[in-house]
Amino acid sequence: MGRRAVALETLEPYGLVHDGGTATFYLWLRSSDGTDDGWEVAGRLAEAGTLVAPGDLYGPAGADHVRLALVHPAERLAEGLARLGA
């Protein structure tokens, strides 16, 4: 299973869904219930030790999103995602 599929599968139980296209090097995530803005989601992930970029850094349309890069090796990505459950 590729990095993208692993990340999507891991993030879904935490209320994060991909809201972007099929680009292979990042995910454009938002809270599934739409209640958190990008900074709140980024804060939650940072507390778990996983860094993302708040979406409004890319423009006002991204305010409810975060951008998660999929550029790290698969084992490093899995390590970062595993922190969510800790």
Side-chain angles (χ1 to χ4, degrees):
M1 185 180 297
R3 291 178 287 186
R4 182 182 188 84
V6 168
L8 289 171
E9 184 177 293
T10 303
L11 293 166
E12 187 177 4
Y14 295 100
L16 297 173
V17 295
H18 178 55
D19 203 22
T22 57
T24 58
F25 60 92
Y26 69 87
L27 296 176
W28 194 240
L29 302 167
R30 64 171 171 78
S31 62
S32 59
D33 62 9
T35 59
D36 296 328
D37 71 16
W39 286 96
E40 291 169 323
V41 173
R44 282 198 336 250
L45 292 173
E47 287 176 11
T50 301
L51 295 178
V52 297
D56 70 352
L57 296 175
Y58 302 96
D64 294 336
H65 295 79
V66 296
R67 185 170 157 170
L68 173 67
L70 299 174
V71 297
H72 296 288
E75 59 276 357
R76 291 276 300 169
L77 179 62
E79 177 185 319
L81 294 170
R83 293 179 187 148
L84 297 175

